[in-house]
Amino acid sequence: MTESSFSERVYELVCRIPQGSVATYGQIAALAGNPRNARVVGYALHSNPKPGVIPCHRVVFRDGSLAPGFAFGGPERQRELLEDEGIRFIPPKDGESKPAGADGWLVDLSRCQWKA
DNA sequence: AAGTTGACCAAAA
DNA sequence: GTTTTGGCCAACT
C-alpha cells in the first residue's frame, strides 16, 4: 500500500462517487473504515487539497442537505450542478423538519445515495 | 509537544 | 418539540 491516510482514502472515495449519486459524510467515513469519523471526512474536504478534482458537491449531510457556505460558490450553484447530474431534489416540505442548509433543497437520498 | 477546533452524527435534558 | 452535550479521529495553531 502506498499512502494510507484517512484523508487520502476519503478523496479516493469521494472521487469514486458516480455521477448522479451522492454520499453522506457518515457513509464516506464508514467506507473509509471509521464510521464515527464523519467529521474528519468533512475536515479533509475542507482542507480541499485537490481543488477541482474532488466533487465535494456530491457529499451531503445525513439529512440530505449540504454545507451552506463551504460547498463552493453558492448553494444554488450546487443545486444546479447536482440537478444537472441527474440528482433528484426535494423541496422543503412542512413535515421534513430540520433546517435546510442549501436553500432548503434536500437531495433525495432515498434515490441518489451512493451505494458502494 | 500539547491544546484546540472541526464540511458530523446521534442521543439525552 | 427544540436545544445542548457527548464522542470519535485527524489536522490546525
Side-chain angles (χ1 to χ4, degrees):
Chain A
M1 326 209 268
T2 48
E3 229 64 63
S4 40
S5 294
F6 199 83
S7 336
E8 290 286 323
R9 209 149 9 176
V10 170
Y11 308 138
E12 187 91 47
L13 285 161
V14 174
C15 221
R16 264 172 194 178
I17 300 175
Q19 192 174 58
S21 299
V22 291
T24 65
Y25 290 100
Q27 184 164 5
I28 296 288
L31 291 171
N34 289 23
R36 262 83 166 158
N37 221 5
R39 308 178 73 169
V40 186
V41 175
Y43 206 93
L45 294 175
H46 177 211
S47 219
N48 203 356
K50 320 246 177 245
V53 182
I54 302 173
C56 330
H57 54 273
R58 285 189 195 149
V59 186
V60 296
F61 280 77
R62 211 38 175 145
D63 303 332
S65 58
L66 331 133
F70 296 96
F72 55 99
E76 294 192 18
R77 177 70 177 172
Q78 176 154 25
R79 176 161 66 79
E80 230 178 295
L81 277 164
L82 293 172
E83 194 182 58
D84 180 60
E85 293 200 354
I87 294 182
R88 225 72 127 140
F89 266 83
I90 308 175
K93 267 190 227 169
D94 298 315
E96 280 301 313
S97 73
K98 273 299 127 172
D103 220 19
W105 287 75
L106 304 178
V107 179
D108 191 346
L109 296 173
S110 321
R111 293 196 192 236
C112 301
Q113 182 162 29
W114 177 46
K115 58 185 166 70

